[in-house]
Amino acid sequence: MTVKTLVRAGLLGFAIAGTSTIPYAAAETLRVTGGTIQRALKVPMNRAVVVESDAPFAELSIANPGIADISTLSERSIYVLGKAPGRTTLTLLAPDGTLITNVEVQVTADVGELKERLREVLPGEAIEVRPANDGIVLSGTVSSAAALDRAIDLANRYAPERVSNLMMVGGTQQVMMKVRFAEMSRTVSKSLGFSAAVNGIAGGGDIGFLGGNGTYLSNNNLSNLFDGDSDTGISLGDGTEGAFQIGFGAGDVEFAVLIEALESKGFVRTLAEPNLTSLSGQAASFLAGGEYPVPISDGDGNISIEYKPFGIVLNMTPRVIGDNINLNLAAEVSAIDQSVSYTDSGLSVAGFKTRKTESTVELRDGESFAIAGLLEDDFQDLSTQVPWLGDIPVLGALFRSADYERGQSELVIIVSAHLVTPTRGDALALPTDRVRPPTENQLFMRGITAVTNRPVSGGAGEVARQDFTGSYGYVME
């Protein structure tokens, strides 16, 4: 056996031993024929490709050994091992020193194993994997945003921070949120009070007393109690619908009784149903109301104006994860409350009555959650009397006053999620589609303020032909 044969056998054994620690790769051979190559040589990182030449070569070199390593298997075969992502050039020279060819070697990330892992972890997902210089490009259409995140996370294991995402999420990924604010509040208050007064005139002076604790008495002057003079007699304050005065006189003595009996009831119903549609993973906001100016001082006496939004405010970020909808929601219904205000240097700022919630829930298409609720029951009563006199049986009622007030309120916030798709414009109807302004004859001669308008074609026409007597809003199908 010649020395040349021993060297070739040793190099071949070294190549085989070197590839034993490299992940399995399908055999790939590039042929060089007549000084030309079939194609550019693409070598996965940590994998090998064999280059065969029809013409024997005497010398070969690699431009950048850090990208690819080469070894000679025979005078016509070359073993090329990818080391790092990049491009370099392999040069083959004939025994007479002439150039046989230059082979472009492109070392890319190994995507074979990544493809296998993606098929195992995400079966049925049409994900395409391509190397790109020192990174990986993912493309195709996946069924959900969760599958997209898993594919990117797995690709980052093979090329950290070098993954380009060109994948798209298929199917319905637009979410319409319907939020319902329902609030009912009722109040009941009753009051019953008696006040007695005796006035005596002697020597030009007034003597007398006022008994009880009249809620509506605003002046305790007993002079000229029955002369009708509001400046000197007993006058009644605001809200005296239930007050009644009786009295009589005997000589220089006058008697008066003020009876106060009042019952009030109140009922408030608030209903708001804001709807908002957004793409999965994208934030959306909604405001139906206005902005209230609030003066702000900078501490140096300068006043600036900031505007606080009020009304129906809805902010949401939906995210479709498989068959579920993960929703981060912040909803608010507010109104100006003039009963709570602040006044300073002629500036008056009203308060706000607000009901709001912020939550993250997960639900399926068409399902609903009650994400907030409040049941409030307030009760207060008060009893006042003249000491000792109010304790007298029967007659003591003339010296006592009692009142109580009770308020109940209940608030529920319900959120519903729907996966939606766009529809044709003629399938939607607006409230303005069903009415039109009247003509001058209809307005002045017949007193008609709105004329029914019924389109005759499309889905909007079908909706408009329905009877919407009473309250109406918008219709979506």
Side-chain angles (χ1 to χ4, degrees):
M1 182 180 293
T2 63
V3 176
K4 186 175 183 180
T5 304
L6 291 174
V7 172
R8 290 178 180 174
L11 290 174
L12 180 59
F14 173 77
I16 295 174
T19 57
S20 62
T21 59
I22 301 174
Y24 170 76
E28 186 174 357
T29 302
L30 182 69
R31 301 190 65 86
V32 179
T33 305
T36 62
I37 59 174
Q38 297 171 332
R39 53 184 168 80
L41 180 60
K42 294 184 178 180
V43 184
M45 189 169 58
N46 295 327
R47 294 174 61 180
V49 173
V50 176
V51 178
E52 293 185 353
S53 174
D54 288 345
F57 56 85
E59 185 179 351
L60 68 157
S61 62
I62 190 75
N64 188 348
I67 295 178
D69 194 10
I70 59 174
S71 60
T72 304
L73 300 178
S74 68
E75 59 183 7
R76 298 177 185 269
S77 302
I78 307 167
Y79 184 84
V80 182
L81 175 66
K83 298 174 64 177
R87 291 174 180 267
T88 186
T89 303
L90 172 64
T91 303
L92 282 71
L93 298 177
D96 58 359
T98 60
L99 176 67
I100 297 177
T101 187
N102 285 323
V103 181
E104 180 183 352
V105 179
Q106 179 181 359
V107 179
T108 60
D110 184 9
V111 297
E113 185 179 357
L114 175 58
K115 291 180 180 179
E116 295 178 6
R117 298 291 85 78
L118 287 174
R119 284 193 294 267
E120 295 173 358
V121 176
L122 300 171
E125 300 289 353
I127 303 176
E128 298 180 4
V129 183
R130 297 183 179 89
N133 196 9
D134 61 342
I136 296 175
V137 177
L138 301 180
S139 61
T141 302
V142 294
S143 60
S144 66
L148 184 145
D149 291 340
R150 291 171 186 166
I152 294 176
D153 181 67
L154 186 58
N156 278 320
R157 304 283 182 174
Y158 293 85
E161 305 299 331
R162 299 192 305 275
V163 178
S164 298
N165 175 29
L166 300 180
M167 294 183 294
M168 296 182 298
V169 179
T172 301
Q173 297 294 316
Q174 295 183 109
V175 183
M176 183 186 75
M177 301 307 306
K178 180 179 181 181
V179 181
R180 288 175 288 174
F181 294 83
E183 181 181 17
M184 297 185 66
S185 176
R186 60 182 179 180
T187 58
V188 177
S189 63
K190 294 182 180 180
S191 62
L192 179 62
F194 295 89
S195 298
V198 178
N199 183 38
I201 303 175
D206 297 334
I207 59 174
F209 67 90
L210 180 68
N213 186 17
T215 305
Y216 305 116
L217 280 171
S218 61
N219 187 354
N220 292 339
N221 190 354
L222 300 177
S223 300
N224 301 319
L225 185 62
F226 303 106
D227 61 3
D229 187 353
S230 60
D231 293 334
T232 57
I234 296 178
S235 61
L236 302 179
D238 297 334
T240 59
E241 293 82 357
F244 178 69
Q245 284 181 303
I246 59 176
F248 60 92
D252 292 336
V253 180
E254 297 175 325
F255 299 91
V257 176
L258 176 65
I259 302 175
E260 301 169 288
L262 181 65
E263 179 180 6
S264 63
K265 297 180 180 180
F267 176 78
V268 177
R269 175 177 180 263
T270 301
L271 178 64
E273 296 188 10
N275 290 351
L276 186 60
T277 302
S278 175
L279 192 65
S280 174
Q282 300 297 317
S285 60
F286 174 89
L287 170 63
E291 293 186 340
Y292 184 80
V294 178
I296 303 296
S297 176
D298 59 1
D300 297 330
N302 300 321
I303 302 296
S304 61
I305 299 297
E306 291 186 2
Y307 289 88
K308 175 181 175 57
F310 69 91
I312 302 173
V313 180
L314 179 61
N315 296 286
M316 75 169 190
T317 303
R319 192 174 185 85
V320 180
I321 303 177
D323 296 331
N324 296 332
I325 302 173
N326 184 282
L327 175 68
N328 180 267
L329 176 73
E332 176 181 334
V333 172
S334 59
I336 298 176
D337 187 2
Q338 296 291 352
S339 63
V340 181
S341 61
Y342 172 77
T343 302
D344 184 17
S345 302
L347 293 176
S348 180
V349 180
F352 289 86
K353 182 180 180 181
T354 303
R355 287 84 72 203
K356 62 181 179 180
T357 181
E358 184 172 357
S359 179
T360 300
V361 296
E362 187 170 275
L363 61 169
R364 291 177 178 268
D365 179 23
E367 292 182 340
S368 300
F369 259 126
I371 61 174
L374 173 65
L375 179 62
E376 187 176 2
D377 191 349
D378 296 328
F379 176 82
Q380 61 179 5
D381 59 1
L382 178 65
S383 178
T384 58
Q385 66 178 25
V386 175
W388 304 298
L389 296 179
D391 297 328
I392 300 175
V394 183
L395 293 180
L398 298 177
F399 305 93
R400 285 197 303 267
S401 295
D403 62 86
Y404 83 88
E405 182 176 355
R406 184 174 187 178
Q408 293 177 319
S409 64
E410 185 174 3
L411 171 66
V412 177
I413 302 177
I414 300 175
V415 57
S416 304
H418 301 274
L419 294 175
V420 296
T421 56
T423 185
R424 295 177 58 87
D426 57 4
L428 302 177
L430 301 175
T432 53
D433 294 338
R434 295 191 294 271
V435 294
R436 60 178 175 84
T439 62
E440 293 183 358
N441 178 52
Q442 292 172 329
L443 177 62
F444 292 106
M445 302 302 296
R446 301 171 58 186
I448 298 176
T449 58
V451 180
T452 301
N453 184 33
R454 300 184 184 275
V456 296
S457 63
E462 178 64 27
V463 173
R465 281 190 289 272
Q466 302 176 17
D467 184 12
F468 287 91
T469 303
S471 302
Y472 61 87
Y474 57 88
V475 177
M476 298 185 65
E477 292 184 348

